Each structure stands twice: as structure tokens, then as C-alpha cells.
Amino acid sequence: MNICEILCREFQLRVPQCENVLRLIDEGNTIPFIARYRKEQTGSLDDQVLREIYERLQYLRNLEKRRAEIENALREQNNLTQEIMQKLDAAVTMTELEDIYRPFRPKRRTRATIAKEKGLEPLAMLLMMQNQKTGSAEEMATPFVNLQIGVADVQEALQGARDILSEQISDDADARKALRSLVMRTGLLESRKSADEDSVYSMYYEFSQEVRTIPAHRVLAINRGEREEFLKVDIHVSDDACVDVLRKAFVREGSVTTDQVRLTVEDAWERLLKPSIEREIRNDLTDRANASAIQVFGKNLHQLLMAPPVKGRVTLGVDPGFRTGCKLAVVDENGKVLATGVGHFTLPGQEAAKARARKDIVEMCRKHGVTAIAIGNGTASREAEQFIASLLPELPQGTAYMIVSEAGASVYSASKLAAQEFPQYDVSLRSAVSIARRMQDPLAELVKIDPKAIGVGQYQHDLKEKELEEALDGVVEGCVNSVGVEVSTASPSLLAHVAGIGPALAKNIVAYREENGITSRAQLKKVPKLGPKAFEQCAGFLRVRDSKNVLDATAVHPESYDTAKALLETLGYQIDDVKNQKLTDLQKRVEQRGLKALARDLNAGEPTLADIIRELQKPGRDPRDDLPKPILRTDVLDIKDLTPGMELMGTVRNVIDFGAFVDIGVHQDGLVHISRMSTRFIRHPSEVLKVGDVVKVWVIDVDVKKQRIGLSMLPPKAI
């Protein structure tokens, strides 16, 4: 199997391009580094495609490893024939390989092995040959009757022979492949109620859908209902159609043993193949649903991490609560804690406590110049929002608030990392600080939290943990490196996700920074255990804002500094013009000379040169600045205020298979069903929406008792 050839075909790559990608991966380069700084070699493939290539490469290499293991095992058993070798070479999936090896795999004691021990295998072969036209199967079985070895009569001999053949048929790779294909095309996944009590799975109590069309979220929901013993689940398929597949493959008419083989294929299907194929199909559906859910989780996490920061505002973080009060934390524009406190203003009554809280919060905000307030969306959020909104007229002009997802805040505040960062504060106050900071810079704060605790997926606890973790780690790594990290202020958690660094080196960088300061990228080479390879991988993603070399504050890699300086000189600029932002006509001068000509004269690749030009125009540009700004509110809505037809602006909080949840300023997010997202047909909500999008929606229906809000992105007349 030529792995490069397969990857070229599947990803529409040129052979040299594919070979370069594989070489760069095998040399230990990170995906962000390859995507950003090796564009000439990869043909400018983005990091998402490179990760898909990497994952497929790992699968194909594992496939080759397993192929070799099976070949060696068959060779040791003296079972490796030319025909089997050809089948192994032609197999393109793990399932096909295992099907080929199945007849030779060591088995537990079965009816077939017991029959073989009784010496009935020759009889089984005679029956399967189906070439005898005279006599009878009973006459053929008579010589195998032997009381001493447990074959009492002719019928027992025939039964044992059929058991041997049933197992052989169930192990046949071609038969299994044909049956799997049939069940996938025609099978129905059915679920029914298995317990008397009601449950959240009631919609699946009498449920049936084609295997080939059932969406991922339903597979995961049914699996969970079955695991919690509320549902019984199976796959319904036509037994006659499946047995007919086996008859065509194994039954030859006209022999005295034909009826025996016909009985055998019926037994092989019902007793062995049917339960086995059903398990395989269920596993396959689960694997596909798992992959789909992880993909949705990854997309949502990416959008959440890349949400635009609320920059340049002193922020009050509010962690709502009832009995213990609301925890308060004021942080400056850079996230440094200025003040903390507790306010009791969410319980009914307690007017004296509310008056004190009002006085304390107003004084705190005025003293520190608070202009933004982040309110956690957990318990007592609604009451906290109403109280804070009532304070706004007394706060500095322009002060506004935003409801911020608390997901993972409690996990972070109780972690060892939070204890190291804020040893002087208790757990609840750390949570208030986290809420304030995640509004100021979602990426810098959320990287401190296990991605699975952020809660932007569906059925995440049912997914394969290792696969989910790897996928989400890749998303975090991609986001951190696309934004870049200011090395002089970044936390160890943020640095750990920079290409080539990791947790250990991140701690070394912070320790070195605290002792010596970091005033240039070149100084990073002095950090203990940060060698040439790690420096090559990470340098372009680390920013040193106060460096004497202005290029240290950009995404230009140190290996391209000479090219950047030569470009500036060629176009008539000085290096200081970058710092002083005097490159307003840079693009015009580039167009006059021509990018291709400049690349040739400077002996540089066109993609790399184009990236350098973009960086020089906007040094250290944050890609999040180009996104719609988050909605800061100055009023408050109640679910009782909503009426059908009302038009509102909202922020997408979560995108799932059947729709999206949108924050419209009410404590409860509203659901936009996939059917109410677009006038055109869409397969998945992510084709239309992503987490963090600011969208116009219309209220369709409101259920105050169940706290459910139905929304539409289509005007009422279009529904």
C-alpha cells in the first residue's frame, strides 16, 4: 500500500506536496508551524487540512502495522497462501483485515470446535462440496457415528457437521462484507420502552429510522437511553434477504447435501452472523456519531475561544449566588485583580443587605473606573442581572454588562492552577475573577480549563475520551497560535499551547521571565531546555511587544527577519517605519513591483512574502478584532416579556446537530431549530451559524412553565 498515493487521491494533493507534508510531520514539526511557516512546501494547506492528513496518516500506518502482524501470525500458523496474501494487500480498512484473519484467530470453545474434536470436520467438508448426486446425507454421515467420542447417531453427526460449516460461513470475509452492506442499506434502528417509569427518552419509546440516515445525535441519545436501561434497542432487517445472500454464495442446487447446506446458512445467519453484524453496525454507527459529535464540539470550542475580547475596559466580575451572596472581583484592563468583595442582593426581601451591596458596588466601580460588568450565567444569574441593571444609571457613563458562560469556572477555581495563581483568595472569589477575565480575553482565560468542562458540545460524556481530548487539544493549539501570545505577560497555561512548548517548557519560560525578564525573541534561547528545535517551532507565535526589534512583536518568524528587512529596503522604507506605522502605501509599492518579481529578487517564497507584507502593514494583528463585537447590554428582559413575533438581537452560545441555542438577554437561552435557520436546505446548523455569532432572531413560541423559548432566524412571514 502506497500511503502517499492514497493521501494524494483522498486530499487532491500533488505527490511532491504530499511527500513534503509527510517529511515535515516525521521531522517532528508541529501542525501550526507547518501551516504558517512552510507554505511553499505544503502548497499553503491550512492547519485544519493538515490535521486531517495527520489523522489519516496515523490510521493508514496503523493499518499497515496490523497488516504485517496478521501476515506474520498466518505465516507462523502455515496458513499464509497466495490468495490470502492478495486479499490482505487489497484490504483498505481495519474491518476488512480482521475479517480476513477471523477464520484463523484463536477461538474460545464453541459448538464447532467441539464437533471438530469429535472428528466431524471431514463430514462437514463433504456436505459443503455439494457434488454428490446419489445416495443421501444420512448415508454419508453413518461412518461418523461413534458412541465413544460422543456421536450417538446420524442426526447428531449431521448437526455437528453443520455447526462446523456455520462457523466457517460466519467467518467468511466476503459474506460478512456483503451482509454489512445490505444491513447498512436496508436496516432499521429500532428502540422501544424497557421500563415503566417515564424518562427524557420518551420520544424513543416507539422509534424507528433507517440505519443509513439516522443522525449522530439520535444514535448517541439512544445509546445513552439503552445504557441507562430505559430503552431496548436492536436493528431490524429482512432475515429472508440476508439468508438469500448466503444461499447465493454457498448453496448449489442438485446435490443430496444441498438441504444440509441450506439449513446451515439459515443457522449461520440467525445464530452467529445476525448478532455479530448487528454489533458491528451499532459500533459503526456509534463511531460515526462519535466523530460527528467531536467535530461539532471542536467547531464550537474554536468559535468560543476565538470570540472577540472586550479590550481596554476595567471589568467587574459577578459570580451569582443566593445563600452565600454574589462574589465580586474587579480586574484592570490587563486582568490584574484590583478589588474583591461579596454582595447579598439576589434573595427576596433583605432590603438592608441590598442597600449595602448597592452602595459598595457603586463605590467599587467608581473608584476603579469600571465600565464593563461580566455576570455569570449560573444559579441566581437572573436576579443578579436585574440588580446590576438597576445600578447602571449610578455608574460611570457607558458602563454596560454581559452575561458570561460560567461553564468550567468552578472547575478552574478549585484547581491547583487557580490556587497557585490566587493563593490569597478562596475558591468562590477566584471564580469571579475568571468570569471577569473570560469577558476581557476568552482565549487567555479558557485555556486554563479542561476543554471538556466548557460545555459547548453534546453527549460529551458518552464520547471516546482519548479522541475527544486529542481533537479539542488540537483546536486549542490552533486558536492560541493563530492569535499569538505575548510572552512577557502570558500565563503558563497559555504558553503551554504554543507550538513546540508544552507544560514543562512553559513553566521554564515563566520562571526565567520572573528572574530575568524577556526583552527579545532571541533571549528565549537562554530558557533552560528550550533548544533550537523548540525555538524554531514556537518563536513565530510568541510576541515581545517591548523588544527593540519591532519584528519581535509580529508574526514574522526570526528565520525571515533578513527577508523582511530586505523587502523594506527594496521598497524604500526603514525598519523604524514599521513601529511608527508609516507603511500606509506599502501595498501600492508591492503592486507596482509585483509580488512574483519581489519574491524572485529576494529569493523568497511568494506565500511567505505575502504573509510578511500583511504583518508589516498591521504588526501583531489580532484576527479576533475582525469579528463582530460582543453584545453589551444596558437593560434586562424577562421571559414573561417575550411575545411571538418579537424581534431581538442575540449571541449564539452553542451549535448542535438539530439547531442552536441563542442568548437573547433572558436567563434562558432560546432554541433556533435547524428548520428555522435558512430558506435553503442545510445538513447541519454549522453551515449557517457558529458560536459567538451575533444574530437577529424572532420569537416563535414561549413556554414560561417549562422555561422554553422557540426562536427563528427567518422572519415570521417566511416560516
Side-chain angles (χ1 to χ4, degrees):
M1 182 173 68
N2 187 319
I3 290 178
C4 187
E5 184 180 307
I6 293 172
L7 293 174
C8 285
R9 183 172 63 251
E10 292 181 355
F11 292 92
Q12 288 80 53
L13 306 175
R14 292 173 284 104
V15 172
Q17 182 185 23
C18 182
E19 289 174 343
N20 285 337
V21 171
L22 300 192
R23 177 178 52 77
L24 288 165
I25 289 172
D26 291 338
E27 287 174 353
N29 295 289
T30 61
I31 296 299
F33 176 80
I34 296 171
R36 175 76 189 192
Y37 298 113
R38 293 295 179 263
K39 291 183 177 179
E40 285 77 17
Q41 297 178 44
T42 67
S44 297
L45 296 174
D46 65 31
D47 61 335
Q48 183 175 346
V49 173
L50 286 169
R51 289 188 194 282
E52 290 174 4
I53 292 173
Y54 175 79
E55 290 169 5
R56 183 61 173 152
L57 174 64
Q58 297 305 109
Y59 180 88
L60 293 174
R61 285 180 171 172
N62 287 335
L63 187 69
E64 282 300 280
K65 181 181 178 183
R66 182 58 180 154
R67 195 192 315 273
E69 290 172 350
I70 291 173
E71 285 181 12
N72 290 334
L74 293 176
R75 190 175 288 109
E76 289 174 3
Q77 298 170 10
N78 293 321
N79 287 321
L80 188 60
T81 65
Q82 188 64 33
E83 181 185 2
I84 292 175
M85 192 70 187
Q86 289 173 350
K87 287 184 177 181
L88 287 174
D89 289 341
V92 295
T93 66
M94 286 288 188
T95 300
E96 289 179 20
L97 279 180
E98 297 302 335
D99 278 352
I100 295 166
Y101 183 49
R102 190 182 184 92
F104 310 101
R105 185 188 293 121
K107 291 182 172 63
R108 59 181 176 81
R109 190 172 170 80
T110 64
R111 283 166 51 172
T113 56
I114 294 170
K116 288 178 182 178
E117 291 168 2
K118 294 178 180 180
L120 295 175
E121 192 166 12
L123 175 59
M125 296 305 100
L126 286 172
L127 296 180
M128 181 57 90
M129 289 171 64
Q130 301 172 86
N131 58 3
Q132 193 161 328
K133 307 295 183 183
T134 59
S136 67
E138 287 74 10
E139 291 174 2
M140 295 169 65
T142 300
F144 293 90
V145 176
N146 187 332
L147 289 174
Q148 291 182 338
I149 60 173
V151 182
D153 54 34
V154 165
Q155 293 307 316
E156 190 169 333
L158 290 172
Q159 179 63 62
R162 291 198 301 271
D163 289 341
I164 293 170
L165 293 180
S166 289
E167 188 170 276
Q168 289 180 356
I169 289 170
S170 75
D171 286 344
D172 187 90
D174 293 334
R176 296 184 73 86
K177 185 175 181 179
L179 288 169
R180 262 196 305 270
S181 176
L182 177 64
V183 176
M184 284 298 293
R185 290 195 317 271
T186 65
L188 297 175
L189 183 68
E190 298 182 338
S191 62
R192 58 192 181 279
K193 186 176 181 179
S194 68
D196 292 335
E197 58 186 297
D198 198 12
S199 73
V200 295
Y201 306 104
S202 56
M203 69 172 290
Y204 297 111
Y205 283 173
E206 294 294 333
F207 176 82
S208 176
Q209 186 166 353
E210 292 177 319
V211 167
R212 62 188 176 87
T213 62
I214 189 164
H217 68 276
R218 285 185 183 157
V219 172
L220 294 173
I222 288 170
N223 286 354
R224 182 183 286 183
E226 181 182 40
R227 191 164 53 251
E228 294 177 5
E229 299 183 350
F230 287 105
L231 301 176
K232 286 189 179 296
V233 185
D234 55 37
I235 291 179
H236 175 76
V237 67
S238 167
D239 290 329
D240 289 342
C242 293
V243 171
D244 193 50
V245 169
L246 298 177
R247 287 196 191 105
K248 290 177 180 176
F250 298 104
V251 176
R252 291 200 294 272
E253 299 293 341
S255 169
V256 296
T257 63
T258 295
D259 287 343
Q260 293 294 320
V261 178
R262 190 177 288 114
L263 288 172
T264 298
V265 297
E266 291 171 1
D267 174 66
W269 167 248
E270 191 62 36
R271 183 168 59 88
L272 300 175
L273 280 163
K274 186 176 183 178
S276 176
I277 295 293
E278 179 172 345
R279 279 194 304 273
E280 290 180 10
I281 297 294
R282 290 284 307 276
N283 288 338
D284 186 52
L285 288 175
T286 300
D287 287 344
R288 294 185 189 187
N290 185 79
S292 176
I294 288 175
Q295 186 178 37
V296 170
F297 204 134
K299 285 181 179 179
N300 288 346
L301 178 64
H302 178 273
Q303 300 304 330
L304 184 64
L305 293 176
M306 294 297 285
V310 178
K311 295 180 179 179
R313 286 186 181 238
V314 179
T315 303
L316 170 65
V318 181
D319 182 11
F322 283 120
R323 185 178 56 82
T324 57
C326 299
K327 309 308 182 291
L328 311 170
V330 177
V331 301
D332 69 9
E333 298 92 333
N334 298 315
K336 180 182 177 182
V337 181
L338 301 177
T340 61
V342 179
H344 294 268
F345 50 79
T346 52
L347 288 172
Q350 298 189 343
E351 297 307 320
K354 288 181 181 178
R356 281 196 304 273
R358 188 180 201 91
K359 178 175 176 292
D360 292 344
I361 293 173
V362 170
E363 285 183 1
M364 187 184 289
C365 290
R366 288 177 176 172
K367 178 181 178 180
H368 298 289
V370 169
T371 57
I373 301 174
I375 304 171
N377 68 342
T379 304
S381 173
R382 181 68 186 163
E383 292 76 8
E385 181 188 9
Q386 290 173 330
F387 183 81
I388 293 296
S390 73
L391 296 183
L392 294 182
E394 302 175 48
L395 300 182
Q397 189 173 5
T399 302
Y401 73 88
M402 187 169 82
I403 303 297
V404 176
S405 170
E406 285 185 19
S410 59
V411 174
Y412 161 72
S413 59
S415 68
K416 184 185 295 185
L417 175 62
Q420 292 171 347
E421 195 171 5
F422 301 113
Q424 70 273 39
Y425 301 128
D426 68 20
V427 170
S428 56
L429 287 175
R430 294 172 196 160
S431 185
V433 174
S434 178
I435 287 169
R437 284 178 163 185
R438 64 172 62 189
M439 184 173 86
Q440 290 182 325
D441 191 339
L443 178 60
E445 194 62 24
L446 292 173
V447 293
K448 301 174 184 176
I449 302 167
D450 181 351
K452 298 191 295 296
I454 295 176
V456 287
Q458 55 183 343
Y459 300 101
Q460 64 194 66
H461 301 296
D462 300 332
L463 306 180
K464 293 182 178 178
E465 189 169 348
K466 185 180 178 183
E467 291 181 17
L468 177 62
E469 190 172 319
E470 289 176 353
L472 298 186
D473 284 347
V475 171
V476 175
E477 181 185 52
C479 291
V480 169
N481 289 285
S482 67
V483 171
V485 172
E486 174 53 49
V487 71
S488 60
T489 59
S491 68
S493 303
L494 191 57
L495 287 168
H497 291 287
V498 174
I501 293 184
L505 264 182
K507 290 179 181 177
N508 289 356
I509 292 172
V510 172
Y512 179 87
R513 180 181 73 194
E514 290 174 351
E515 185 174 344
N516 306 283
I518 296 178
T519 57
S520 71
R521 275 177 174 163
Q523 194 180 352
L524 289 165
K525 296 178 181 178
K526 297 180 181 179
V527 174
K529 297 186 179 179
L530 200 157
K533 186 68 175 180
F535 180 79
E536 177 192 51
Q537 299 297 304
C538 73
F541 304 110
L542 296 175
R543 312 279 189 266
V544 186
R545 191 181 305 144
D546 298 326
S547 173
K548 291 180 181 179
N549 186 344
V550 67
L551 296 178
D552 282 353
T554 72
V556 177
H557 197 282
E559 67 186 11
S560 297
Y561 280 5
D562 289 343
T563 301
K565 291 173 183 176
L567 172 68
L568 290 169
E569 186 178 336
T570 300
L571 297 177
Y573 293 108
Q574 301 293 323
I575 191 69
D576 287 343
D577 293 338
V578 179
K579 185 180 294 185
N580 300 325
Q581 297 184 351
K582 294 182 178 179
L583 305 182
T584 52
D585 59 346
L586 175 63
Q587 191 61 42
K588 182 178 178 181
R589 296 189 192 186
V590 169
E591 290 172 359
Q592 288 173 347
R593 293 290 298 269
L595 182 64
K596 189 181 290 293
L598 280 170
R600 183 184 64 247
D601 295 343
L602 297 173
N603 194 27
E606 287 184 48
T608 295
L609 195 60
D611 284 344
I612 292 172
I613 292 166
R614 277 193 293 271
E615 277 300 311
L616 294 176
Q617 288 175 307
K618 292 184 177 181
R621 181 184 67 89
D622 188 334
R624 298 174 297 176
D625 292 342
D626 298 333
L627 301 172
K629 303 302 178 190
I631 297 176
L632 290 169
R633 302 185 184 278
T634 56
D635 57 357
V636 61
L637 272 176
D638 189 280
I639 192 170
K640 295 176 183 176
D641 299 330
L642 301 179
T643 56
M646 184 180 287
E647 179 182 311
L648 299 163
M649 295 300 295
T651 304
V652 178
R653 294 298 183 203
N654 199 4
V655 179
I656 51 180
D657 284 339
F658 53 84
F661 288 99
V662 178
D663 170 17
I664 54 172
V666 179
H667 181 55
Q668 181 66 40
D669 290 345
L671 173 65
V672 181
H673 191 269
I674 187 172
S675 63
R676 294 170 173 167
M677 288 185 175
S678 174
T679 53
R680 64 180 178 85
F681 172 75
I682 56 174
R683 294 183 179 275
H684 195 277
S686 60
E687 295 177 33
V688 177
L689 290 177
K690 57 183 182 294
V691 172
D693 278 353
V694 176
V695 294
K696 182 186 291 185
V697 293
W698 285 266
V699 178
I700 300 302
D701 52 68
V702 181
D703 188 328
V704 177
K705 185 177 180 181
K706 293 184 178 180
Q707 292 288 292
R708 291 179 181 172
I709 304 167
L711 301 174
S712 173
M713 290 172 57
L714 303 173
K717 292 181 181 179
I719 300 175

